[in-house]
Amino acid sequence: MKYLSNVTTLALDKEKCIGCGMCEIVCPHAVFSVVDGKAFITDRDACMECGACARNCPVEAITLDSGVGCATGLINGMFGGGGACCGEKTCCSK
Amino acid sequence: MVTRVNAQLEWRDVLGAVKVRLNIGRMAYAVEPGLYAVGNPEETSPVLVSANYKLSFDYLRRELGGLDVWILVLDTKGVNVWCAAGKGTFGTDELVSRIKAVGLEKIVSHRKVILPQLSAPGIAAHEVKKQSGFQVVYGPVRACDIKAFIHAGMEATPEMRMVRFDFADRLAVVPVEIVEWAPHVFLLGLAMLGLSGITGVSYDLSLIWTRGFNVFMIVLGAFLGGSILVPALLPWLPGKAFSIKSLCVGLVLWGILVSVLNLALDVWAMLPVILSITSFMAMNFTGCTTFTSQSGVKREMRYAIPVQILLLITGMILWVIAGIGGSL
C-alpha cells in the first residue's frame, strides 16, 4: 500500500553519507539501499516520515520533518488539544 | 531487582488485551519499568528492550517460550513501542538511564541490547553507544520473528524489516476508532433526527419516528460502514487519499440503505451525508495505519475537510427541503 506521491520531506545529502547502512536497517518501508558505500533513496514515495533514518544517521546526512501521519491528531492539534497525535486521549490505537 | 515472568499468557492477559482493543482502560495498561527474566537467563543471555505498554510487553514475552533472555522495560508512559518512539518517550535518554538504573553492566557480560526496529524513530544508536557503552542492535519489526532473529545470529531478513498492515492488523485497530468517535456521531444523528420534523407549515413530531428514525440509522450506518469497510478493503479501494478511497464505500452504503429504508424524496439528501461521514472516518483512519506520512495527511486534510463540511451542510439543507417538499 502506498500513500500520496511526491509529498515526503525526506532528503539525503550524498556528500555527508558514509555508507554505514543504518538507514537501510531502521527503515520499515525499505526506502533506502546502500550501494558501493553510499546510501540511495530507492523508493521515495514509500516514506512515511517516521524519522528513524534521520535519528540514527551518525553524520546527519538525512533530514526530514518527521511526525505522525494521523488526521485525528492533527485535528486535535488545531483545536489546541494534546498536539499532533499520540495525545493523552486519542490516536495510536495500535 | 529482577522480576521473573512467564512466556505463557494467562486468561487475564487475554482479557486485558480485549479490553484495551475496545478502548477500556487503554491509557492505564502498563507494567512496571525495569529488568525482567524469561526462563533462566545468564550473563551471556540476550537483552531485549520493550515498552511498558502491557500489550507490547505481552506480545513480546509470549514469543519467548524456550528462550532464556532478559527483558529491559522502559518507561514509555504505557504507550506502545512505535508511538512512544515517535513521541520520544521510547528514546535515547530513557534507554541510557534505564540501563544505568538496573545496573545492566553488572548483570550481563556482553555489551549489546536488542531493540525493536520500530523504536528507531526515538533512539539514536550511536548516542546510546557513546553514553552507555551498549551497542544497539535493531531486531525485527514483529515480536513473532524474534526467535528466528536470535537463532540467525542476530540477523534480520529484509522481510523482518518491513512493516506490514494485514487484514487482521487493520481490523484490530477499528474498535478503538469506533468507541472514540461514537459520541460525536450520536450527536450528529440526533441533530439530523431533530431536523426531520420540520415541514412547510409546522414542526411535525410524528415525523421523528419515521424520517427521524431513518436518518439516525443512516448516520449510524455510514459511520460503522466507513469505520469498518474502509480499513477492511483498504488495499483494493481505488484512490490514494483515504478520503477518496471512501467514495466507493459511501456509494455502496447509500445504495444499500436507500433500498432497505423507504426514503422517497429523502434519497438525494442522504447521499452527501453518507459521503461526508464515510470520508471523514476514512481520513481519520490514517492515524491507525503503518504507512501514511504527516506531510501527506496534511495535504489530504487541506482539501478533504472543507469538502466534508460542505457535503454535510448540503445534506442537512437537502434533508430539510425534502421534509418541506414531502409535506406539501
Side-chain angles (χ1 to χ4, degrees):
Chain A
M1 273 172 284
K2 285 260 175 81
Y3 195 43
L4 310 185
S5 316
N6 294 321
V7 72
T8 178
T9 52
L10 178 68
L12 169 66
D13 184 342
K14 285 264 169 52
E15 296 297 308
K16 286 188 186 168
C17 176
I18 53 168
C20 71
M22 277 308 267
C23 51
E24 196 179 11
I25 289 174
V26 297
C27 178
H29 289 289
V31 168
F32 299 91
S33 55
V34 178
V35 183
D36 296 334
K38 287 279 175 190
F40 290 85
I41 296 175
T42 46
D43 194 0
R44 195 181 169 73
D45 286 339
C47 174
M48 62 174 290
E49 298 179 327
C50 72
C53 53
R55 174 84 67 185
N56 282 277
C57 178
V59 291
E60 294 176 5
I62 301 168
T63 51
L64 83 165
D65 284 337
S66 68
V68 185
C70 170
T72 313
L74 291 166
I75 292 170
N76 286 341
M78 277 191 279
F79 290 106
C85 205
C86 295
E88 296 315 307
K89 251 179 97 259
T90 51
C91 237
C92 291
S93 354
K94 286 159 205 151
Chain B
M1 204 199 71
V2 178
T3 314
R4 205 159 284 278
V5 287
N6 212 309
Q8 202 73 44
L9 297 194
E10 291 174 38
W11 67 269
R12 271 182 312 205
D13 305 320
V14 178
L15 181 70
V18 170
K19 278 170 70 181
V20 293
R21 288 301 194 187
L22 292 170
N23 208 19
I24 302 166
R26 187 163 62 96
M27 290 300 158
Y29 199 55
V31 293
E32 198 61 40
L35 194 64
Y36 292 77
V38 180
N40 293 298
E42 302 166 342
E43 60 173 19
T44 53
S45 303
V47 180
L48 302 171
V49 182
S50 185
N52 81 324
Y53 182 35
K54 190 169 181 298
L55 200 63
S56 309
F57 182 70
D58 283 354
Y59 275 177
L60 174 63
R61 74 186 168 100
R62 77 166 180 202
E63 299 297 336
L64 304 177
L67 294 180
D68 298 311
V69 292
W70 303 101
I71 303 179
L72 181 64
V73 173
L74 304 188
D75 184 4
T76 60
K77 316 290 173 207
V79 171
N80 71 70
V81 172
W82 209 5
C83 290
K87 267 179 128 172
T89 43
F90 197 125
T92 305
D93 292 349
E94 166 62 14
L95 176 59
V96 169
S97 64
R98 194 61 55 185
I99 286 173
K100 286 180 181 153
V102 302
L104 195 60
E105 75 285 352
K106 292 191 214 87
I107 290 167
V108 293
S109 55
H110 60 80
R111 289 293 173 264
K112 274 184 186 168
V113 282
I114 304 175
L115 269 66
Q117 187 190 323
L118 293 185
S119 69
I123 301 281
H126 50 285
E127 282 296 322
V128 174
K129 172 89 181 168
K130 210 183 291 172
Q131 294 176 30
S132 72
F134 277 82
Q135 182 199 342
V136 168
V137 178
Y138 285 111
V141 165
R142 285 168 295 277
C144 61
D145 290 327
I146 197 83
K147 240 181 221 176
F149 173 81
I150 291 174
H151 288 147
M154 300 204 189
E155 283 289 329
T157 62
E159 229 288 286
M160 290 181 194
R161 294 246 169 267
M162 292 284 283
V163 81
R164 291 204 306 251
F165 200 40
D166 297 338
F167 189 73
D169 303 332
R170 300 198 296 272
L171 288 191
V173 288
V174 162
V176 168
E177 288 294 296
I178 291 180
V179 174
E180 292 271 359
W181 285 100
H184 301 90
V185 174
F186 187 77
L187 287 179
L188 175 65
L190 282 185
M192 292 297 287
L193 187 136
L195 291 177
S196 304
I198 299 172
T199 69
V201 279
S202 63
Y203 193 85
D204 187 347
L205 267 179
S206 65
L207 285 175
I208 298 286
W209 302 109
T210 52
R211 289 187 83 219
F213 177 77
N214 280 349
V215 79
F216 192 83
M217 294 314 285
I218 279 172
V219 168
L220 206 67
F223 167 60
L224 291 177
S227 308
I228 298 166
L229 293 179
V230 172
L233 305 174
L234 200 64
W236 305 287
L237 295 172
K240 278 183 174 172
F242 285 40
S243 46
I244 299 291
K245 277 178 174 289
S246 72
L247 271 178
C248 279
V249 171
L251 285 172
V252 170
L253 282 175
W254 179 64
I256 295 171
L257 291 167
V258 295
S259 60
V260 171
L261 304 167
N262 185 17
L263 292 175
L265 265 179
D266 299 336
V267 166
W268 297 105
M270 282 303 85
L271 183 58
V273 173
I274 290 172
L275 291 182
S276 171
I277 295 172
T278 50
S279 175
F280 185 75
M281 287 314 297
M283 189 186 74
N284 276 296
F285 192 67
T286 51
C288 298
T289 73
T290 58
F291 63 97
T292 54
S293 62
Q294 186 167 65
S295 303
V297 174
K298 278 182 179 164
R299 184 196 280 178
E300 164 161 8
M301 286 170 71
R302 260 200 302 277
Y303 66 80
I305 289 182
V307 173
Q308 288 157 0
I309 292 172
L310 205 67
L311 280 171
L312 187 62
I313 292 172
T314 307
M316 285 177 148
I317 293 171
L318 287 177
W319 186 249
V320 173
I321 291 174
I324 294 167
S327 67
L328 291 177

